[in-house]
Amino acid sequence: MLRNLLTSAAVIAFLVTGMQTAIAEDAIPRQAMNEKLRAMLPENIKEKGYIVAVNWGSYPPYEIVISPTTLEGASAEFATALGELYGVEIHHQTVSGLAAMLAGFQAGRFDMAIGPSGDFPDRRAKTDYIDWVKEYVAFAVPHGNPKNIGTLDDVCGLKIAVMAAGSAERVLKTKAEECETQGKPVSVQSFPDQNASILSVRSGRTDGFFSGQAPLTYFVEKSQNQLALAAANLPNGFGDIYQGAIAPKDSALSAALLSGFQELFDNGTYALIMKKWGLDGNMIKAPGINLAK
C-alpha cells in the first residue's frame, strides 16, 4: 500500500514537473511564418535568408550580450519571433557603444537594430525608429543614496556617469551648464556601455549613473544591495521617451518591422515577452514609426 502511494506521488510529481516544463517552453510561442509579412521584406533579404541586426552592447534586460553574435534578453526574443514570422534567420552583431552602432548602421553594414534605441527627431535623417517601448530615465547610485539624488536638479557638484553619445549624456551636459553658472560644476563622465558605467558607481569613481530606468532596475536587482535606484518615475529632463528598432528611412524593412511588431502585439507575444523580463511598466498600446515628438 505504502509503495503504491509513493509510486502514485512520484507519478504525480513527474506529471506536474512535466507540465511546468511544458508551460515554460511554451511561454513564448513559436511564430508561424506569415506569407504577407515575408512578402514585405526587401528582395535582398529574402534572397540571402537572413537579417543582420546590430546591437551596441549589453542593455539588460533588453539586450544581454553572450558573445559578439549571441544575444539574450527581451530584444533577442523579439528578434527570434520576428525572424519566425518572416521565415528568415536573425544574425546578431555587437559593436562597441551607441556611437559605433549608429555610424555603422548609417554606413550600410547592418540591416537593422532591434533595439530599443532612443527615438529622437535629430536621429531620423537616415533612419526610422519603429517604437515598441516607453522608457524613463533615473539614476543608479550606491546603496543608501549617500548623495541624496532625488531629481536631476540634485546633480550639481557631483560626478555622474552616462553612456557616450546617448540622449542622457546630452540632457546631463545641458544640466551641467546650469550647474556651472551656480558655481557647482558637474563632472560628466562618459562611458562606452552600461557595464562600464555601472562599474564606475560600484568602484566609487562616480556618484551615480544616469540612464534608462529599465536596465538600471535590472542592475540594481543584481547588485546584492550594493546599488539603489534614485529619482525613478520622474521626467528628469525628458518628455515622453519612446524607444524602438532602427531601419533605413522610409524603407520596405521599416514597414515590415512595423507590421511584424503589430502582429506580435495582436497575438499576445509582445505582452508575454515584456512581462517575462519585468518590463510591464514599459509597454505601449501599439507600435509606431517615429512616435516621439
Side-chain angles (χ1 to χ4, degrees):
M1 179 69 174
L2 178 59
R3 177 180 295 180
N4 290 340
L5 288 173
L6 291 173
T7 301
S8 297
V11 170
I12 292 171
F14 174 80
L15 291 174
V16 169
T17 301
M19 289 172 63
Q20 290 173 334
T21 300
I23 290 171
E25 290 176 349
D26 294 339
I28 309 301
R30 181 177 177 82
Q31 308 295 310
M33 189 180 73
N34 185 309
E35 292 289 355
K36 290 183 178 179
L37 291 177
R38 180 177 174 82
M40 297 179 70
L41 291 175
E43 288 301 321
N44 69 314
I45 288 178
K46 286 187 283 188
E47 289 173 4
K48 67 184 182 181
Y50 62 88
I51 295 172
V52 179
V54 63
N55 67 82
W56 46 277
S58 288
Y59 186 61
Y62 295 106
E63 296 176 319
I64 303 170
V65 175
I66 306 302
S67 78
T69 58
T70 307
L71 202 66
E72 292 183 357
S75 297
E77 296 202 20
F78 280 120
T80 296
L82 289 168
E84 291 168 351
L85 286 174
Y86 302 137
V88 300
E89 295 179 353
I90 305 294
H91 291 184
H92 295 288
Q93 188 166 339
T94 300
V95 297
S96 180
L98 177 61
M101 185 193 80
L102 292 174
F105 183 80
Q106 292 179 1
R109 294 197 293 271
F110 317 115
D111 296 314
M112 73 167 192
I114 191 68
S117 297
D119 173 8
F120 296 97
D122 62 347
R123 293 180 177 177
R124 297 177 188 161
K126 298 180 181 179
T127 55
D128 280 329
Y129 285 78
I130 300 87
D131 296 322
W132 51 274
V133 299
K134 187 175 180 181
E135 185 57 285
Y136 304 89
V137 179
F139 294 85
V141 298
H143 183 72
N145 193 9
K147 298 297 184 178
N148 296 314
I149 298 176
T151 72
L152 180 63
D153 292 333
D154 297 326
V155 301
C156 293
L158 303 183
K159 296 174 292 184
I160 304 296
V162 288
M163 284 193 297
S167 55
E169 182 185 57
R170 288 182 293 174
V171 169
L172 185 62
K173 286 184 175 180
T174 298
K175 185 64 182 178
E177 292 174 1
E178 296 179 19
C179 294
E180 187 75 30
T181 63
Q182 300 171 20
K184 301 172 71 176
V186 179
S187 174
V188 178
Q189 301 189 22
S190 301
F191 295 90
D193 55 34
Q194 294 268 341
N195 290 330
S197 303
I198 282 290
L199 181 60
S200 75
V201 180
R202 297 182 71 152
S203 64
R205 286 180 291 150
T206 60
D207 300 310
F209 172 31
F210 187 48
S211 189
Q213 186 167 310
L216 293 188
T217 300
Y218 176 91
F219 281 116
V220 167
E221 290 175 349
K222 300 292 184 182
S223 73
Q224 299 181 335
N225 292 323
Q226 292 184 350
L227 300 174
L229 195 66
N233 303 313
L234 296 173
N236 288 323
F238 290 85
D240 288 337
I241 305 174
Y242 288 96
Q243 296 183 334
I246 304 175
K249 193 168 187 64
D250 300 325
S251 65
L253 183 55
S254 179
L257 283 170
L258 178 61
S259 295
F261 269 107
Q262 187 63 64
E263 175 63 22
L264 297 179
F265 272 68
D266 292 343
N267 68 20
T269 302
Y270 172 78
L272 287 174
I273 293 174
M274 293 294 281
K275 290 176 181 178
K276 173 181 176 178
W277 291 94
L279 295 165
D280 310 46
N282 300 88
M283 294 170 60
I284 60 177
K285 293 182 179 179
I289 294 179
N290 301 335
L291 294 178
K293 297 180 180 178

